Amino acid sequence: MIKVKSLYVCQQCGYKSPNWLGKCPNCSSWNSFVETVTPSTKFGSTRPRNANAGPKKLSEVEKIKLGRIPTGLVEFDRVLGTSNAFSGVVPGSVVLVAGDPGIGKSTLLLQTAAKIGGLYVAGEESAEQVKIRAERIKGNFDELFILSETDVDLIIEAIRSKEYRFVVIDSIQTLVTGDLDGSAGSVGQVRECANRLHRLAKENNLPIFVIGHVTKEGAVAGPRVLEHLVDAVIYLEGERYHSFRILRSIKNRFGPTAEIGIFEMTDKGMVEVANPSALFLEERGEGAGSIVVPTMEGSRPVLTEIQALTSPVSFGLPRRTGSGVDYNRLQLLVAVLTRRAGLNLQNQDIFVNVAGGLKIFEPAADLAICLSIASSVLDKSISSGAVAIGEVGLLGEVRRVGNMEKRIAEAKKLGFNKFITPDQAKTLKEALNLAFKA
Ligand code: TYD
Ligand code: MG
């Protein structure tokens, strides 16, 4: 066996030191040392030569057929990707599922593990605690194995000793290898443990889901450290006080990154949401300051309500606050409303909110944001059957956006009958006239 010893390496310049240093003596960066395993062999000398290695023509490289294992949850599979009409996780791939603590990562992956069968490694909880969670969600747990362990090398040994179809690691921040001195969750440990799991996945063609908590910058390493080490990075998002959860992939070597999966956290685990538009519009408010916009989430249109509230400034500078919308975009739209549509917003505080906690960063929502603000400041409500679609330019023009037909079809399906789009209104002024016409 190769003897391994650890070294601390400056992440900025590569300077090596046998112990941790606060400041790099070579490049003077602060806090840049990360513990790293260094095999005590010289680079290259003992590497076995692979006959297939070396450059070859791209046209001669054979195309591999990606197999996929369905997770049993359509919403999850959509995010993981589809090939040859099969959706799900690609064997041999490592998928990082990241999110805030308490958002439902363990619940989602336990449900998946129960559907596929395999090994669930619980680093944070005892097997008994996992059992309690398993009792809340339905599923067939006959083929599910639980291992409560944090030593990555013992975990790998356990995985090698039996042919599992699927492995969940909950969570990467609890794992350690004895080859490093750092504590669990340190950048060095997280990176090395992930590396070893990645190698195992490739060698055994085994799909591994790794859970990672999003953490504040600091001593504990968050999913960012792992992003380039894994094949796919999926975030589970949601507001703690809202029940729905969104799975969104931000990196995917084997699939799309635009698709999202929508779930609702119930007392029986995560339930797939087949009709998100209906969910987001369920508690729609009445009155001035509200309009609906069909946004595209991946290839699906989802209807969401935009709400705005304006109120005279009582003290100091006017405030602009957006929740679920981009702050700079909001500032820009307020300026366009003021200059191009003649609305008096200089002495108004403006709050804009995407109902239900969804985040919308598409310019297609510009027109709806503008109309909701106008509706509030003019105190005139817009017909509850209206939707607005369009990007707003600096000259106050309303522009077409992609997928108009899909968006309109979804709105029609949910009973909307008034469409404020670039086809009806070329400018913001025209759109305002149309929206407030009796
Ligand atoms: P959990 O999956 O433990 O979150 P994470 O692994 O991301 O930290 O779930 C956290 C919350 O979900 C917890 O407060 C309890 C709640 N929950 C439900 O609402 N329904 C359920 O069926 C389960 C198992 C948990
Ligand atoms: Mg958990």
Side-chain angles (χ1 to χ4, degrees):
M1 199 183 130
I2 315 167
K3 192 182 170 313
V4 280
K5 64 175 197 270
S6 74
L7 274 179
Y8 289 81
V9 180
C10 172
Q11 300 301 293
Q12 300 297 329
C13 70
Y15 183 86
K16 295 186 179 68
S17 154
N19 31 36
W20 188 82
L21 300 172
K23 185 183 177 189
C24 177
N26 186 42
C27 71
S28 307
S29 332
W30 288 95
N31 235 334
S32 61
F33 279 86
V34 168
E35 194 183 18
T36 313
V37 176
T38 2
S40 54
T41 46
K42 282 217 182 71
F43 177 73
S45 59
T46 57
R47 287 180 141 199
R49 269 183 71 94
N50 180 348
N52 280 330
K56 56 176 141 184
K57 280 194 184 155
L58 187 58
S59 55
E60 285 163 8
V61 176
E62 271 177 55
K63 199 172 163 192
I64 47 160
K65 271 211 169 141
L66 288 182
R68 288 188 186 261
I69 303 176
T71 61
L73 294 164
V74 177
E75 294 289 310
F76 201 170
D77 289 345
R78 188 208 320 280
V79 176
L80 287 167
T82 307
S83 36
N84 310 319
F86 288 103
S87 301
V89 61
V90 174
S93 71
V94 180
V95 178
L96 172 67
V97 178
D100 291 331
I103 207 76
K105 301 179 294 300
S106 303
T107 307
L108 180 68
L109 286 173
L110 187 62
Q111 279 176 259
T112 310
K115 292 240 166 82
I116 302 182
L119 178 68
Y120 190 99
V121 180
E124 302 192 338
E125 292 154 329
S126 65
E128 291 73 23
Q129 281 168 310
V130 176
K131 173 117 191 153
I132 294 171
R133 178 176 294 121
E135 271 165 4
R136 293 178 66 172
I137 59 189
K138 6 181 243 279
N140 170 17
F141 294 99
D142 294 346
E143 293 301 315
L144 183 64
F145 293 80
I146 304 285
L147 172 66
S148 189
E149 178 58 65
T150 57
D151 185 315
V152 72
D153 302 304
L154 294 179
I155 292 169
I156 290 174
E157 223 178 280
I159 296 172
R160 282 219 168 97
S161 68
K162 191 171 169 351
E163 268 196 25
Y164 294 105
R165 293 189 66 201
F166 172 80
V167 171
V168 175
I169 304 286
D170 187 2
S171 65
I172 189 72
Q173 277 111 344
T174 57
L175 298 197
V176 284
T177 165
D179 296 330
L180 296 178
D181 301 325
S183 56
S186 63
V187 176
Q189 286 283 12
V190 164
R191 201 192 273 171
E192 185 55 31
C193 292
N195 256 327
R196 291 182 187 195
L197 290 169
H198 193 259
R199 233 174 292 145
L200 176 79
K202 299 285 169 245
E203 280 165 18
N204 297 282
N205 209 26
L206 174 76
I208 302 186
F209 278 82
V210 174
I211 293 178
H213 295 296
V214 173
T215 49
K216 298 247 151 39
E217 219 62 78
V220 186
R224 294 249 128 196
V225 175
L226 295 173
E227 280 172 6
H228 65 283
L229 292 176
V230 296
D231 298 302
V233 181
I234 294 178
Y235 275 81
L236 183 60
E237 301 171 349
E239 305 274 325
R240 195 165 261 253
Y241 301 105
H242 284 114
S243 62
F244 76 86
R245 301 283 180 267
I246 290 178
L247 262 187
R248 193 188 296 276
S249 90
I250 62 155
K251 161 178 173 173
N252 195 344
R253 280 193 188 136
F254 305 114
T257 52
E259 296 293 346
I260 64 165
I262 304 177
F263 296 89
E264 197 171 357
M265 182 59 124
T266 68
D267 56 354
K268 291 183 189 67
M270 302 271 265
V271 175
E272 298 176 79
V273 175
N275 190 346
S277 297
L279 174 78
F280 291 127
L281 295 180
E282 214 164 54
E283 293 165 336
R284 180 140 189 233
E286 295 267 311
S290 151
I291 187 157
V292 169
V293 53
T295 60
M296 294 303 294
E297 295 291 351
S299 58
R300 278 190 299 179
V302 176
L303 299 190
T304 25
E305 181 191 0
I306 307 253
Q307 297 182 333
L309 181 67
T310 57
S311 121
V313 179
S314 51
F315 177 77
L317 290 169
R319 289 205 290 163
R320 279 86 178 86
T321 311
S323 139
V325 296
D326 180 54
Y327 178 71
N328 291 324
R329 194 82 199 157
L330 175 59
Q331 294 250 347
L332 183 148
L333 294 174
V334 170
V336 175
L337 274 170
T338 310
R339 288 292 308 279
R340 306 294 178 194
L343 287 187
N344 185 3
L345 298 168
Q346 285 94 330
N347 45 16
Q348 298 281 335
D349 284 336
I350 301 174
F351 306 91
V352 174
N353 184 23
V354 179
L358 201 73
K359 294 186 179 74
I360 304 182
F361 295 113
E362 271 202 291
D366 286 356
L367 186 57
I369 295 173
C370 289
L371 291 180
S372 68
I373 294 172
S375 166
S376 177
V377 75
L378 300 171
D379 201 22
K380 286 189 195 160
S381 52
I382 303 172
S383 152
S384 64
V387 296
I389 313 167
E391 178 179 351
V392 174
L394 290 183
L395 303 179
E397 78 279 23
V398 179
R399 299 215 186 119
R400 284 184 68 86
V401 294
N403 296 299
M404 284 304 259
E405 295 71 29
K406 270 192 185 173
R407 297 176 201 258
I408 290 174
E410 175 77 1
K412 282 191 177 151
K413 204 169 82 191
L414 278 115
F416 287 83
N417 53 19
K418 183 168 177 178
F419 304 93
I420 307 174
T421 68
D423 291 338
Q424 272 78 35
K426 295 265 171 274
T427 64
L428 195 49
K429 261 198 176 147
E430 284 176 37
L432 289 170
N433 286 337
L434 189 61
F436 299 116
K437 202 169 63 187

